[in-house]
């Protein structure tokens, strides 16, 4: 707990403490909150200029028993110069203490002073949210949803300590209650549903062994059926040693002969890495086998993939290509590798490669099966995997690609779309572990070995399931999904981290040249 920053703004109001609710609705704090939000790490539109802001959907959650803090649930809307608007879940606390958890400002009223703070940083607010799951009096329009696992929560909530805020997250804020429960609070909850909740609810009724954290329920803001937003998910805590990306980045490497075959030697990971990678292949197969069963829930049952799905994937690749901020006949961007083909030649190569895979599958005289479509993870990479102390894996965060509309994230796809996401993540890891041109051969070797072990483990366990395409179609379909993911990554990197642009570019070029690593 940090003291209030002496440089924090001070707002003086000729109103009384009893007027706080009306002052929030009137926008008395909007300017302060807008300036504060744009400085947060979870603020999404750092390149945008704010032209208007307002507080909406105010819910008074009352005071703590000791009257130290008064809590409010609000949404805060920002309008940008571009005309776009974003809405953030912004719970507020007005606290008596001279020390605050994340102060926005000091507010001086006629009859007292309070510290305005981010309520999610105040442990008492987290405790209040958790208590709603057992309360018979949840303030409208907030409601509580419970999954089939709720009655199996293995702890008495009254015995739990005050929550701690988990660090290292970007777009959400998670509260950890001891080593039992996690409440993930969404800073930008979406209207119309939540993929993470839908998938968690599915797994709560599945007979498959859970390869995900158990989901117990959710808190929803629902003034109407047309306007409902899940603001928090309650899950079980899974003991872990961090996500898989951090596990690989922070573990030691040592020179020794590769355990994966005679391809060569170099800097290769210690044996624990290979256990985790093989386990990741198995866990991914377990996930897809579970999702390919008859779920008994709307939108969750698998469907056979058809030729038109392949055409839609190809069209999606062309649409993504059209979104790249350089076009044919333009000069190459500054980051473009000197030895790479020119942009117009690169575009022709990529389009021709994709078209060749599409037509080869559509014209296959054997009528090769394209497998099944299922609800997929949707944003599958090493950062979405927890590594347990026993080197097992747990899959988390089923929200899908954040820049894609919710309706698109719910669409069923071949499970190879998830597989492609993980292969691309191993490519990023190879560049992070072996940076610089001098280390590219070692990085390429690691990528071939890691992705090869992951794919062989996955395909062995998926064999006989009937979910994947027939053998002669798997490589073509996986290649198309790898291309789609690589172009998506290029768009992201160009807009957010231009220095990383060469990673997906290299992956795409290797793919169309037949090198793949």
């Amino acid at each position: 707990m940090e003291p209030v920053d002496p440089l924090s703004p001070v707002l003086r109001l000729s109103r009384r403490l009893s007027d706080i609710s009306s002052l929030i609705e009137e926008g008395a704090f909007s300017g302060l909150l807008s300036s504060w939000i744009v400085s947060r790490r979870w603020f999404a539109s750092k390149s945008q200029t704010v032209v208007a802001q307002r507080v909406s959907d105010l819910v008074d959650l009352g005071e703590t028993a000791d009257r130290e803090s008064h809590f409010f649930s609000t949404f805060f809307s920002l309008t940008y110069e571009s005309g776009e608007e974003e809405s953030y879940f912004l719970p507020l606390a007005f606290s008596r203490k001279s020390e605050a958890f994340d102060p926005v400002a000091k507010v001086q009223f006629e009859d007292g002073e309070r510290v305005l703070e981010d309520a999610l940083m105040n442990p008492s607010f987290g405790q209040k949210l958790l208590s709603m799951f057992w309360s018979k009096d949840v303030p409208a329009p907030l409601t509580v949803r419970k999954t089939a696992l709720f009655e199996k929560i293995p702890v008495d909530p009254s015995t739990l300590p005050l929550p701690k805020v988990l660090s290292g997250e970007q777009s959400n804020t998670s509260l950890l209650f001891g080593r039992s429960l996690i409440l993930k609070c969404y800073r930008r909850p979406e209207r119309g549903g939540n993929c993470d909740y839908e998938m968690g609810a599915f797994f709560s009724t599945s007979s498959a062994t859970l390869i995900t954290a158990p989901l117990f329920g959710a808190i929803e803001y629902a003034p109407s059926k047309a306007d409902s937003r899940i603001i928090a998910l309650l899950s079980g805590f899974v003991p872990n040693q961090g996500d898989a990306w951090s596990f690989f980045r922070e573990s030691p490497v040592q020179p020794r002969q590769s355990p994966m075959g005679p391809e060569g030697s170099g800097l290769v990971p210690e044996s624990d890495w290979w256990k985790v990678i093989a386990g990741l292949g198995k866990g991914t197969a377990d996930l897809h086998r579970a999702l390919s069963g008859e779920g008994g829930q709307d939108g969750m049952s698998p469907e056979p993939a058809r030729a038109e799905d392949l055409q839609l994937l190809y069209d999606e690749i062309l649409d993504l290509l059209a979104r790249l901020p350089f076009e044919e006949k333009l000069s190459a961007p500054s980051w473009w590798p000197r030895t790479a083909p020119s942009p117009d030649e690169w575009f022709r190569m990529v389009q021709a490669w994709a078209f060749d895979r599409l037509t080869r599958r559509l014209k296959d005289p054997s009528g090769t099966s394209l497998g099944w479509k299922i609800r997929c993870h949707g944003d599958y990479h090493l950062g979405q995997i927890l590594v347990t102390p026993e080197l097992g894996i747990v899959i988390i965060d089923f929200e899908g690609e954040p820049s894609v509309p919710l309706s698109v994230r719910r669409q069923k796809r071949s499970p190879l779309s998830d597989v492609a996401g993980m292969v691309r993540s191993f490519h990023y890891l190879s560049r992070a572990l072996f940076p610089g041109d001098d280390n590219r051969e070692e990085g390429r070797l690691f990528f071939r070995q890691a992705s090869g072990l992951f794919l062989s483990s996955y395909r062995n366990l998926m064999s006989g399931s009937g979910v994947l395409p027939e053998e002669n179609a798997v490589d073509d379909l996986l290649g198309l999904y790898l291309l789609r993911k690589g172009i998506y990554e290029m768009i992201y990197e160009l807009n957010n981290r231009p220095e990383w642009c060469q990673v997906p570019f290299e992956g795409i070029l290797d793919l169309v040249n037949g090198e793949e690593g």
Side-chain angles (χ1 to χ4, degrees):
M1 186 166 65
E2 298 293 333
V4 176
D5 186 342
L7 300 179
S8 293
V10 176
L11 180 63
R12 296 177 176 85
L13 299 171
S14 57
R15 302 282 287 272
R16 300 181 66 80
L17 287 165
S18 57
D19 295 330
I20 288 179
S21 294
S22 59
L23 285 166
I24 295 174
E25 291 179 321
E26 293 166 11
F29 309 104
S30 294
L32 286 170
L33 293 170
S34 177
S35 299
W36 177 80
I37 283 177
V38 300
S39 69
R40 301 297 93 181
R41 64 182 180 183
W42 40 261
F43 174 61
S45 301
K46 292 179 171 59
S47 62
Q48 299 257 39
T49 300
V50 177
V51 296
Q53 60 275 317
R54 63 185 177 88
V55 176
S56 62
D57 306 297
L58 175 70
V59 181
D60 189 338
L61 298 178
E63 293 184 309
T64 53
D66 59 8
R67 305 191 68 181
E68 285 294 320
S69 297
H70 193 155
F71 298 130
F72 298 87
S73 168
T74 78
F75 285 88
F76 195 78
S77 297
L78 295 170
T79 303
Y80 303 112
E81 200 170 41
S82 63
E84 297 177 69
E85 184 174 289
E86 282 184 324
S87 181
Y88 289 85
F89 172 54
L90 185 60
L92 303 175
F94 289 83
S95 300
R96 291 176 180 269
K97 296 177 180 178
S98 60
E99 294 184 326
F101 295 92
D102 194 355
V104 177
K106 293 180 182 179
V107 185
Q108 294 179 351
F109 299 87
E110 290 180 342
D111 54 344
E113 182 176 278
R114 294 292 183 270
V115 177
L116 171 61
E117 58 183 343
D118 177 7
L120 285 176
M121 300 296 111
N122 186 316
S124 295
F125 181 76
Q127 190 177 49
K128 179 176 280 289
L129 287 181
L130 182 66
S131 70
M132 289 183 185
F133 287 92
W134 288 270
S135 174
K136 296 180 180 179
D137 188 24
V138 177
L142 299 180
T143 61
V144 168
R145 292 191 189 186
K146 299 176 182 178
T147 71
L149 295 177
F150 184 79
E151 298 304 325
K152 299 179 181 179
I153 290 179
V155 65
D156 179 350
S158 66
T159 65
L160 293 174
L162 289 172
K164 295 181 179 179
V165 177
L166 292 181
S167 61
E169 295 174 280
Q170 296 299 315
S171 58
N172 304 311
T173 298
S174 290
L175 310 178
L176 175 63
F177 294 83
R179 295 179 62 83
S180 300
L181 300 174
I182 291 181
L183 193 64
K184 180 166 75 171
C185 301
Y186 290 92
R187 293 292 190 172
R188 290 190 296 151
E190 297 178 278
R191 286 183 171 87
N194 180 290
C195 290
D196 212 357
Y197 178 81
E198 292 161 7
M199 298 287 268
F202 169 81
F203 285 116
S204 75
T205 60
S206 172
S207 59
T209 302
L210 285 177
I211 31 48
T212 65
L215 177 67
F216 299 124
I219 300 174
E220 182 180 27
Y221 170 80
S224 66
K225 288 185 179 180
D227 182 14
S228 65
R229 284 171 277 184
I230 285 180
I231 60 175
L233 291 184
L234 181 64
S235 303
F237 172 75
V238 177
N240 66 86
Q241 48 183 319
D243 64 63
W245 177 268
S246 301
F247 173 80
F248 290 119
R249 288 297 310 274
E250 296 168 8
S251 298
V253 294
Q254 61 182 18
R256 70 182 189 188
Q257 184 68 28
S258 165
M260 295 300 294
E263 285 191 275
S265 61
L267 284 177
V268 295
E270 296 188 288
S271 59
D272 282 356
W273 283 22
W274 304 108
K275 292 177 184 177
V276 172
I277 293 170
L280 183 54
K282 177 185 182 302
T284 305
D286 289 342
L287 173 75
H288 290 157
R289 279 181 170 270
L291 289 167
S292 63
E294 292 295 330
Q297 291 179 245
D298 290 343
M300 295 300 294
S301 295
E303 300 172 7
R306 306 188 185 281
E308 51 264 35
D309 297 308
L310 196 59
Q311 182 67 53
L312 287 172
L313 174 58
Y314 176 73
D315 292 342
E316 189 177 3
I317 289 170
L318 296 185
D319 289 342
L320 286 169
L321 278 172
R323 288 172 52 194
L324 287 170
F326 51 87
E327 299 175 358
E328 296 180 18
K329 300 180 182 179
L330 290 182
S331 59
S334 59
W335 55 266
W336 199 273
R338 285 178 296 175
T339 57
S342 63
D344 58 334
E345 184 181 353
W346 181 83
F347 268 90
R348 287 196 298 270
M349 288 172 58
V350 170
Q351 290 171 350
W353 187 92
F355 185 74
D356 177 66
R357 267 66 189 167
L358 170 71
T359 53
R360 190 158 67 191
R361 295 275 57 87
L362 293 180
K363 293 179 180 179
D364 187 347
S366 68
T368 298
S369 164
L370 294 174
W372 287 77
K373 299 185 299 181
I374 62 173
R375 279 289 293 268
C376 292
H377 183 284
D379 189 25
Y380 203 50
H381 56 78
L382 292 167
Q384 311 286 40
I385 306 296
L386 298 179
V387 180
T388 70
E390 300 79 23
L391 302 180
I393 67 117
V394 176
I395 303 168
I396 59 173
D397 291 343
F398 288 83
E399 293 155 28
E401 291 174 339
S403 65
V404 174
L406 187 62
S407 59
V408 176
R409 280 180 266 157
R410 285 195 176 113
Q411 290 176 359
K412 299 183 181 72
R413 294 178 179 266
S414 167
L416 291 173
S417 62
D418 280 347
V419 174
M422 190 56 67
V423 171
R424 290 294 313 132
S425 194
F426 278 119
H427 184 220
Y428 268 81
L429 181 64
S430 74
R431 292 299 297 258
L433 290 174
F434 304 98
D437 293 339
D438 293 343
N439 294 325
R440 282 314 298 138
E441 287 308 310
E442 292 167 325
R444 287 176 184 273
L445 174 60
F446 168 75
F447 175 50
R448 284 194 296 270
Q449 293 172 341
S451 58
L453 177 57
F454 166 72
L455 288 170
S456 63
S457 175
Y458 174 80
R459 291 174 74 162
N460 286 341
L461 288 161
M462 291 295 286
S463 177
S465 67
V467 178
L468 295 183
E470 292 181 7
E471 194 66 27
N472 60 340
V474 168
D475 289 342
D476 281 343
L477 191 54
L478 177 58
L480 287 169
Y481 275 114
L482 283 168
L483 178 58
R484 180 216 168 270
K485 188 66 173 178
I487 301 170
Y488 177 91
E489 290 167 351
M490 278 188 70
I491 294 170
Y492 175 85
E493 302 298 9
L494 285 165
N495 291 326
N496 296 277
R497 304 184 302 179
E499 67 277 10
W500 279 86
C501 234
Q502 290 192 33
V503 179
F505 182 84
E506 176 187 83
I508 292 171
L509 201 57
D510 285 346
L511 182 67
V512 300
N513 285 331
E515 298 178 27
E516 301 184 21

